[in-house]
Amino acid sequence: MPREPQNFETAITASDFSSDDYCGTTYAAKLLGLSVATVQSLVEKGEIDAWKTLGGHRRLSLRAINNYLLKNSPQLAQVDADPRNRLSVLVVEDDEATCDLYKAQFEEWNMPVDCSFMPSALEALMDIASMRPDLLITDLNMPGVDGMEMLRALKRNQQLMAMQILVISGLSREAVRERGELPPNSHYLEKPINFDWLHGYVTALLVANRKWR
């Protein structure tokens, strides 16, 4: 059985946090290759161990997800793509139209990039320690927990120190400075998104991964 859930910020900054802990429904759906609704159905049937935090967010045991894959889709559980040849990207953006632009560009570039999308900073905070992306692309103005709050929490997680951060927002640089300092390993771009620059940046990260991993 999974252990009792902790406060999400305490969990992601814990020194002993490991991928054997838990994840949210969105990331579980990506791991399983299923829709969020299907994952929720599996949880309701008791086929995957899960529980809810006090805030009402469903948390799933990563160990239970792996066991489900081994039982139902062993070919997926055995996939072990060389990370040196791929880039893991997490995009945190609440605007659906902007997410569609990102998806269209990544598909057009046809690069070895595994891209996940989260509609809120809160969802990203709950899953990012399990996902451990190479690159985080995030907006700042989002409902609930905003991008600045998320970045402040992430700065305290030693396991994510190598993650590159790209902030793309409609706020001016001056407005961002007024709200606080961005992490030292981050870049800032103002909207509209310069996809030519982004293409070059992602390409450079892919080359760096192959060289240093």
Side-chain angles (χ1 to χ4, degrees):
M1 293 294 292
R3 68 192 185 195
E4 285 299 307
Q6 309 171 61
N7 170 277
F8 73 85
E9 187 169 329
T10 301
I12 68 167
T13 56
S15 60
D16 64 344
F17 192 97
S18 76
S19 58
D20 266 343
D21 282 288
Y22 50 73
C23 70
T25 308
T26 302
Y27 185 49
K30 180 177 178 62
L31 289 174
L32 294 166
L34 302 172
S35 69
V36 171
T38 301
V39 172
Q40 291 171 342
S41 176
L42 291 172
V43 169
E44 299 287 337
K45 295 175 182 176
E47 295 188 40
I48 297 178
D49 292 334
W51 66 97
K52 287 186 179 180
T53 66
L54 294 177
H57 298 281
R58 187 177 273 109
R59 318 301 297 131
L60 291 82
S61 162
L62 281 174
R63 182 168 296 174
I65 291 172
N66 288 333
N67 289 339
Y68 180 87
L69 280 173
L70 286 169
K71 178 181 178 181
N72 297 278
S73 302
Q75 72 279 7
L76 293 180
Q78 293 168 5
V79 171
D80 186 22
D82 189 341
R84 290 174 298 181
N85 298 324
R86 305 194 65 79
L87 192 75
S88 174
V89 179
L90 173 61
V91 177
V92 184
E93 172 63 65
D94 67 316
D95 182 71
E96 189 173 343
T98 302
C99 285
D100 288 341
L101 283 175
Y102 279 119
K103 292 174 184 177
Q105 288 295 319
F106 278 112
E107 288 176 5
E108 181 180 323
W109 295 338
N110 193 28
M111 303 170 77
V113 173
D114 297 320
C115 196
S116 300
F117 291 83
M118 296 283 183
S120 71
L122 180 58
E123 281 192 60
L125 275 172
M126 289 192 292
D127 281 343
I128 197 166
S130 297
M131 299 173 75
R132 299 192 189 179
D134 301 304
L135 170 64
L136 169 66
I137 300 176
T138 184
D139 195 1
L140 291 180
N141 279 337
M142 288 178 281
V145 178
D146 68 15
M148 291 298 293
E149 291 178 86
M150 176 182 69
L151 293 176
R152 281 193 287 268
L154 294 180
K155 282 197 300 185
R156 297 192 288 274
N157 190 327
Q158 295 297 314
Q159 294 182 343
L160 297 172
M161 293 300 292
M163 178 180 69
Q164 299 300 303
I165 299 173
L166 177 58
V167 177
I168 302 181
S169 172
L171 295 173
S172 66
R173 292 180 182 273
E174 291 73 19
V176 173
R177 292 192 192 98
E178 290 175 2
R179 297 174 66 173
E181 292 294 327
L182 295 175
N185 59 328
S186 63
H187 297 276
Y188 182 79
L189 291 179
E190 288 187 37
K191 291 183 178 179
I193 304 168
N194 184 335
F195 282 107
D196 288 336
W197 185 93
L198 182 59
H199 181 267
Y201 180 65
V202 171
T203 300
L205 286 182
L206 278 166
V207 172
N209 273 1
R210 296 190 185 106
K211 182 177 181 181
W212 298 111
R213 277 185 170 175

